[in-house]
Amino acid sequence: MDISDLSKAYGNTLAVDHLSLRVQSGEIFGFLGPNGAGKTTTMRMLLGLVRPTSGNARVLEMDIKTDLPKILDRTGSIIENPTFYPYLSGRDNLRAIARLTGTPYDRIPPILDLVDLTSSAGRKFKTYSLGMKQRLAVGAAMLHGPDLLILDEPANGLDPAGIVEMRDLMKRLRGEGRTVLISSHVLHEIEQICDRIVILNRGRVVVQGRVSDLLGASEALEVRIAQIDEAQRILEAVPWVRGIRRDSGRLLLDAPPECASDVTQVLAEQGLYLSGMRPQERSLEQYFLDVTGGNGQ
Ligand SMILES: Nc1ncnc2c1ncn2[C@@H]1O[C@H](COP(=O)(O)OP(=O)(O)OP(=O)(O)O)[C@@H](O)[C@H]1O
Ligand SMILES: [Mg+2]
């Protein structure tokens, strides 16, 4: 998928603001961002549900403006809450969709297996838990064997157990070699399943890259010391300290963790002794809050 300079304006609001990014085939790509960041709008443009104001995108090497039917043949999605027949079983709901899309019924058992609903396939949809409903929705999106899945917050509203089940399902999808575009507020989940992510804010890319690289770049050494001003001044002059900031009475150094003993030494040479130091690995959640300004800074 190749998104280039894609924008969508609603009146004066630029919901998506000149977005460019590339998703490689076979990867699980995460869309992160606070409410209103433009995640859903982007996904809707990729699926032809919303017309871009400007820019373009190629999906599965086809142009969304001219090849939409062909793209949709090979794409499955959950964008809005999908509707199912409440009084039909999970299996019969999938049959109804298969009939509509001309999909052979023999696709249904492996899909039920994939989304872990085989044992409850005969139960009425309305008796399903939210997690089961969401998994059925993923199953429905997978039914016609798409190469690409676009899932807007599939873990939304799930309890911790449901989230774990959804995460396991995403890992199974990866095993199947599909390309998956997934948005979520459940950052911890994205951190574990995505190869690469983009963080959007107000329609723009704040940062994108491999999860491991982004987290690696966000490592810090947390230093506790009584003479915090003096320590900060000293450490600011040290070349391998790339950055330094204060957070509730601690110093956070942007420096490689292996420099810990050097920090101790530099300060000790000036007669300052720290009371504690530890490497701080920010979770993606903290990183997300930092780069989107969600922590009020
Ligand atoms: N149909 C619409 N008409 C007017 N404005 C819209 C419409 N759809 C979205 N917007 C605006 O576009 C911006 C982006 O919305 P979007 O739904 O894409 O964000 P999101 O990242 O999916 O947010 P959320 O996490 O809440 O789902 C918001 O400011 C929203 O109010
Ligand atoms: Mg949304």
Side-chain angles (χ1 to χ4, degrees):
M1 182 181 309
D2 204 344
I3 299 176
S4 55
D5 228 15
L6 198 63
S7 295
K8 177 68 192 180
Y10 290 110
N12 290 331
T13 316
L14 258 183
V16 176
D17 189 356
H18 297 90
L19 178 68
S20 294
L21 55 93
R22 191 168 287 187
V23 177
Q24 275 137 33
S25 83
E27 76 178 343
I28 301 190
F29 192 92
F31 264 41
L32 286 176
N35 291 134
K39 305 178 296 291
T40 301
T41 304
T42 304
M43 290 178 158
R44 293 176 69 95
M45 285 194 279
L46 296 173
L47 291 164
L49 297 168
V50 159
R51 187 195 292 270
T53 307
S54 65
N56 201 5
R58 292 180 68 78
V59 175
L60 298 165
E61 286 164 13
M62 293 179 278
D63 191 316
I64 55 166
K65 287 187 178 151
T66 52
D67 300 317
L68 194 61
K70 278 191 244 161
I71 292 172
L72 295 183
D73 277 349
R74 291 175 50 199
T75 304
S77 63
I78 308 181
I79 290 286
E80 258 112 42
N81 276 344
T83 47
F84 289 102
Y85 297 105
Y87 291 96
L88 290 186
S89 67
R91 181 185 292 111
D92 285 344
N93 267 290
L94 290 185
R95 281 193 178 149
I97 296 165
R99 209 173 306 127
L100 282 173
T101 55
T103 305
Y105 283 178
D106 61 9
R107 281 279 305 159
I108 294 174
I111 288 289
L112 285 169
D113 253 359
L114 178 75
V115 299
D116 204 14
L117 285 175
T118 302
S119 60
S120 23
R123 275 171 54 188
K124 288 189 172 106
F125 176 78
K126 66 173 187 141
T127 70
Y128 279 11
S129 70
L130 184 60
M132 294 162 80
K133 288 176 176 170
Q134 308 268 81
R135 296 208 305 281
L136 186 67
V138 175
M142 290 286 291
L143 203 53
H144 61 301
D147 298 312
L148 170 69
L149 272 179
I150 296 184
L151 307 176
D152 194 13
E153 308 211 33
N156 203 12
L158 300 187
D159 65 12
I163 289 170
V164 170
E165 285 162 10
M166 187 58 73
R167 186 186 68 204
D168 290 345
L169 171 54
M170 294 299 129
K171 286 181 177 164
R172 286 198 292 278
L173 291 184
R174 178 210 298 276
E176 299 226 325
R178 326 253 171 201
T179 308
V180 184
L181 194 61
I182 180 174
S183 75
S184 179
H185 286 126
V186 189
L187 308 171
H188 184 57
E189 293 311 312
I190 289 268
E191 182 173 337
Q192 294 185 37
I193 59 176
C194 287
D195 301 298
R196 292 191 305 138
I197 57 162
V198 61
I199 298 180
L200 301 175
N201 196 23
R202 297 167 198 265
R204 292 200 191 152
V205 174
V206 179
V207 65
Q208 63 173 311
R210 300 207 140 265
V211 175
S212 50
D213 291 347
L214 294 178
L215 290 177
S218 70
E219 277 173 352
L221 277 173
E222 178 190 309
V223 173
R224 289 176 185 278
I225 188 160
Q227 304 89 338
I228 190 162
D229 295 316
E230 219 179 325
Q232 179 166 2
R233 214 167 39 242
I234 293 165
L235 290 169
E236 270 166 355
V238 174
W240 38 259
V241 174
R242 294 179 294 242
I244 190 162
R245 65 195 173 92
R246 277 202 203 192
D247 182 30
S248 45
R250 300 162 306 165
L251 289 176
L252 293 176
L253 307 188
D254 176 6
E258 59 272 17
C259 288
S261 57
D262 300 322
V263 172
T264 316
Q265 189 184 344
V266 166
L267 292 174
E269 280 167 1
Q270 306 291 324
L272 297 182
Y273 296 93
L274 39 89
S275 56
M277 176 163 51
R278 56 172 190 171
Q280 196 199 47
E281 253 185 67
R282 277 189 288 177
S283 66
L284 192 52
E285 180 139 20
Q286 186 56 47
Y287 186 67
F288 171 85
L289 290 172
D290 287 350
V291 298
T292 59
N295 56 355
Q297 286 176 1

